[in-house]
Amino acid sequence: MANTQFGDAELGKVKSPSCIFCHGTDGTASNPTYPNIKGQNAQYLFQSMKDYQDGNRQGALAEMMKAQLSRLNDEDLKDIAAYFSSQK
Amino acid sequence: MANTQFGDAELGKVKSPSCIFCHGTDGTASNPTYPNIKGQNAQYLFQSMKDYQDGNRQGALAEMMKAQLSRLNDEDLKDIAAYFSSQK
């Protein structure tokens, strides 16, 4: 379950300035209705972000997430996934 | 972020026999493409399960999750959410 070879956590930190407002600087959510993402499996985080981009997730906060992720490509998403996955 | 008054973790353990095959007996996923759910915010877990039930999540595994959750009511989902949220 190594996160090696799936994204670059250092780059991910640079690419995720807006994530921290809801998911916290250490991946711990600021609100109990949001998910903690620290230590989450990177491949799952990546697929979740793809699902928001692709419209596979609907509901109250899905449009916001889709907008937040709109300018990020797959490499960006992998880097961001690696960053939050690496957090303890 | 207390999980008190949101579901009954003891009941949740009894109600979640099928969850463990993918999410692990301790909430650690058996596959890196699945999410770890131990210690996750209970309210978020509840809403995620509601989103699967309501068809707000689509994609590769969403139909399976919807089927798994089809016989559970809101109280069941809250109990299950409380159970996995309480895991370390």
Side-chain angles (χ1 to χ4, degrees):
Chain A
M1 208 185 73
N3 292 315
T4 48
Q5 302 181 320
F6 191 93
D8 181 320
E10 287 301 312
L11 287 176
K13 182 175 184 177
V14 179
K15 293 176 177 179
S16 57
S18 65
C19 308
I20 65 173
F21 293 106
C22 292
H23 295 290
T25 54
D26 70 344
T28 301
S30 60
N31 182 308
T33 65
Y34 304 152
N36 300 324
I37 55 176
K38 64 180 175 185
Q40 185 55 274
N41 291 326
Q43 291 177 59
Y44 173 74
L45 290 177
F46 171 75
Q47 187 58 50
S48 298
M49 289 187 281
K50 290 298 293 179
D51 283 338
Y52 283 116
Q53 282 189 337
D54 296 343
N56 283 336
R57 291 197 180 187
Q58 301 290 323
L61 293 166
E63 285 301 316
M64 182 277 296
M65 280 295 297
K66 185 175 182 177
Q68 291 291 334
L69 299 169
S70 61
R71 297 186 183 188
L72 301 171
N73 64 30
D74 282 9
E75 281 307 304
D76 296 330
L77 298 183
K78 288 180 182 177
D79 293 342
I80 292 167
Y83 173 56
F84 283 106
S85 183
S86 73
Q87 291 179 310
K88 309 295 182 186
Chain B
M1 207 186 76
N3 294 313
T4 48
Q5 302 181 320
F6 191 93
D8 181 321
E10 288 301 312
L11 287 176
K13 183 175 184 176
V14 179
K15 293 176 176 178
S16 57
S18 66
C19 308
I20 65 173
F21 293 106
C22 292
H23 295 290
T25 54
D26 71 343
T28 302
S30 60
N31 182 309
T33 65
Y34 304 152
N36 300 324
I37 55 177
K38 64 181 175 185
Q40 185 55 274
N41 292 326
Q43 291 178 59
Y44 173 74
L45 291 177
F46 171 75
Q47 186 57 52
S48 299
M49 291 187 280
K50 289 299 295 178
D51 282 338
Y52 283 117
Q53 282 189 336
D54 295 343
N56 283 336
R57 290 197 181 188
Q58 302 289 324
L61 293 165
E63 285 301 316
M64 182 279 294
M65 280 296 296
K66 185 175 183 178
Q68 291 291 335
L69 299 169
S70 62
R71 297 186 182 188
L72 301 171
N73 64 31
D74 283 7
E75 280 308 305
D76 296 331
L77 298 184
K78 288 180 183 178
D79 293 341
I80 292 168
Y83 172 56
F84 283 106
S85 183
S86 73
Q87 290 180 310
K88 308 296 182 187

